[in-house]
């Protein structure tokens, strides 16, 4: 991204540093929302997970302790600058009004399903080591369990009964398991612990800022090599039109990158595609020489 920004000329007076920072926040937020789905999927299959994964999920990282504060902060909803209510779903923010304000968004529903499986799954109950602090943290979720919520997720009625029982009794005790030996990713540990990431980031930023035109073209040449690799298309699905998203059979003859379903879509997309197409085309000519 930084290379492309340095190659393409600026088209406005927007502060690019601020724009990139905001884009980074959006990407990080999207990754976090996707992570909720992954955790829900793992908790749903807790009975089939390896012991090492269960240990990290329930003991080392204690995901259950993080979910209730996540419900309280509710990062998937907000008010925009116009004062309208928005909810995050399917990778973007949607304005909601009326009864839709009370309707569960996908990330919120995922968190509730995580709680349901992590508290009620036999595999998780056998693994989780409760204490008074964890018990009080879990009980904080009870105040959010309204009739409106349970009408949308009926399975939460079992979770509500479990929390009611938990409030009146001592927390269940985890079964004492055998010594767990798990494989340590030595290569990952050596990379993470043996690299000065601050210096690497600073050097990368300086290299991009001080790159000459030849350096930038060389970088674009490498990108052209990647996109033009013979085996690259084997890992792709059926091509889609970059303009309308319909199945496509025609491809840009210059850069070989963008697909189109018709001549009309290609012409309509040319204004946006022109800069990247010209850059990749020039890089391919340099490579041929």
């Amino acid at each position: 991204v930084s290379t492309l920004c340095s190659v393409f000329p600026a088209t406005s007076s927007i502060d690019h540093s601020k724009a990139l920072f905001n884009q980074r926040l959006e990407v990080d937020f999207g990754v976090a929302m996707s992570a909720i789905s992954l955790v829900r999927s793992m908790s749903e299959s807790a009975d089939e997970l390896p012991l090492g994964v269960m240990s990290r999920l329930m003991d080392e990282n204690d995901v259950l302790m993080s979910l209730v504060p996540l419900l309280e902060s509710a990062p998937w909803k907000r008010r925009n600058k116009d004062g309208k209510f928005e909810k995050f779903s399917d990778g973007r923010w949607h304005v909601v009004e009326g009864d839709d304000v009370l309707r569960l968004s996908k990330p919120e529903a995922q968190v509730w399903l995580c709680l349901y499986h992590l508290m009620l799954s036999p595999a998780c109950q056998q693994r989780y080591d409760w204490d008074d602090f964890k018990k009080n943290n879990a009980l904080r979720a009870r105040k959010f369990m309204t009739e409106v919520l349970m009408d949308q997720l009926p399975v939460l009625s079992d979770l509500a009964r479990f929390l009611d029982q938990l409030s009146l009794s001592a927390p269940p005790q985890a079964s004492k398991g055998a010594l767990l030996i798990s494989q340590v990713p030595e290569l990952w540990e050596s990379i993470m612990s043996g690299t000065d990431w601050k210096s690497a980031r600073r050097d990368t930023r300086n290299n991009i800022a001080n790159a000459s035109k030849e350096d930038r073209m060389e970088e674009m040449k490498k990108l052209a090599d990647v996109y033009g690799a013979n085996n690259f298309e084997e890992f792709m699905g059926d091509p889609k039109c970059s303009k309308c998203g319909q199945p496509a059979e025609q491809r840009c003859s210059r850069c070989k990158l963008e697909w189109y379903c018709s001549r009309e879509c290609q012409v309509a997309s040319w204004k946006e595609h022109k800069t990247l197409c010209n850059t990749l085309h020039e890089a391919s000519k340099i490579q041929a020489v």
Side-chain angles (χ1 to χ4, degrees):
V1 173
S2 300
T3 302
L4 293 176
C5 289
S6 62
V7 172
F8 300 156
T11 58
S12 68
S13 58
I14 297 175
D15 185 347
H16 292 292
S17 296
K18 184 177 181 180
L20 287 174
F21 178 75
N22 291 335
Q23 185 179 17
R24 175 188 172 185
L25 293 180
E26 292 178 2
V27 171
D28 288 346
F29 183 80
V31 170
M33 293 297 101
S34 299
I36 294 176
S37 299
L38 292 175
V39 173
R40 194 273 308 165
S41 180
M42 293 172 62
S43 63
E44 197 174 47
S45 307
D47 295 337
E48 303 174 2
L49 292 177
L51 289 177
V53 176
M54 281 294 295
S55 177
R56 290 178 174 84
L57 191 67
M58 306 301 296
D59 301 330
E60 184 176 338
N61 297 311
D62 201 348
V63 173
L64 185 56
M65 285 290 292
S66 304
L67 294 177
V68 177
L70 190 59
L71 282 175
E72 294 174 332
S73 62
W76 44 77
K77 59 184 180 182
R78 70 182 185 185
R79 288 191 181 275
N80 60 24
K81 60 182 180 180
D82 298 325
K84 294 183 178 180
F85 205 74
E86 293 183 333
K87 288 193 174 184
F88 188 85
S89 183
D90 295 326
R92 62 190 184 92
W93 290 96
H94 303 266
V95 175
V96 292
E97 298 177 338
D99 294 339
D100 289 339
V101 174
L102 299 177
R103 184 172 298 173
L104 281 174
S105 62
K106 288 185 179 180
E108 186 176 5
Q110 300 275 19
V111 172
W112 279 112
L113 291 174
C114 283
L115 283 171
Y116 172 81
H117 290 294
L118 292 178
M119 290 190 190
L120 299 184
S121 169
C124 295
Q125 288 183 341
Q126 293 174 7
R127 187 74 199 177
Y128 197 60
D129 188 13
W130 288 91
D131 57 30
D132 289 336
F133 179 75
K134 294 178 180 180
K135 170 184 172 180
N136 293 332
N137 176 74
L139 291 176
R140 286 156 50 193
R142 186 64 178 88
K143 61 179 179 286
F144 298 106
M145 305 186 72
T146 63
E147 292 183 2
V148 175
L149 172 65
M150 287 188 280
D151 284 343
Q152 298 177 72
L153 283 177
V155 296
L156 293 185
S157 58
D158 294 334
L159 179 60
R161 284 192 293 270
F162 173 81
L163 291 175
D164 291 339
Q165 295 174 1
L166 185 64
S167 65
L168 300 174
S169 60
Q173 297 298 315
S175 59
K176 299 298 181 181
L179 177 65
L180 177 64
I181 300 177
S182 60
Q183 185 177 4
V184 177
E186 295 183 2
L187 182 60
W188 171 262
E189 293 291 339
S190 63
I191 293 175
M192 296 305 295
S193 61
T195 303
D196 186 351
W197 292 106
K198 289 184 178 180
S199 298
R201 183 172 64 248
R202 183 177 61 252
D203 293 341
T204 301
R205 185 171 60 247
N206 292 336
N207 290 338
I208 293 174
N210 300 324
S212 64
K213 183 178 180 180
E214 290 75 16
D215 294 333
R216 295 169 183 170
M217 292 305 298
E218 180 65 24
E219 188 69 22
M220 294 306 299
K221 175 183 174 182
K222 294 178 181 178
L223 287 175
D225 290 339
V226 172
Y227 286 119
N230 293 329
N231 297 326
F232 186 74
E233 294 180 357
E234 297 179 3
F235 302 97
M236 299 176 61
D238 294 335
K240 303 292 185 182
C241 178
S242 62
K243 184 63 178 178
C244 67
Q246 297 298 316
E249 296 181 355
Q250 304 174 27
R251 184 158 56 174
C252 177
S253 60
R254 300 181 79 241
C255 68
K256 309 296 184 182
L257 176 61
E258 297 287 359
W259 289 83
Y260 301 100
C261 64
S262 64
R263 175 67 178 173
E264 289 75 15
C265 280
Q266 184 175 10
V267 172
S269 181
W270 174 244
K271 184 177 180 180
E272 298 175 355
H273 176 57
K274 179 179 179 180
T275 304
L276 178 59
C277 183
N278 289 337
T279 303
L280 292 175
H281 183 63
E282 290 298 325
S284 64
K285 289 197 298 183
I286 294 175
Q287 180 182 9
V289 173

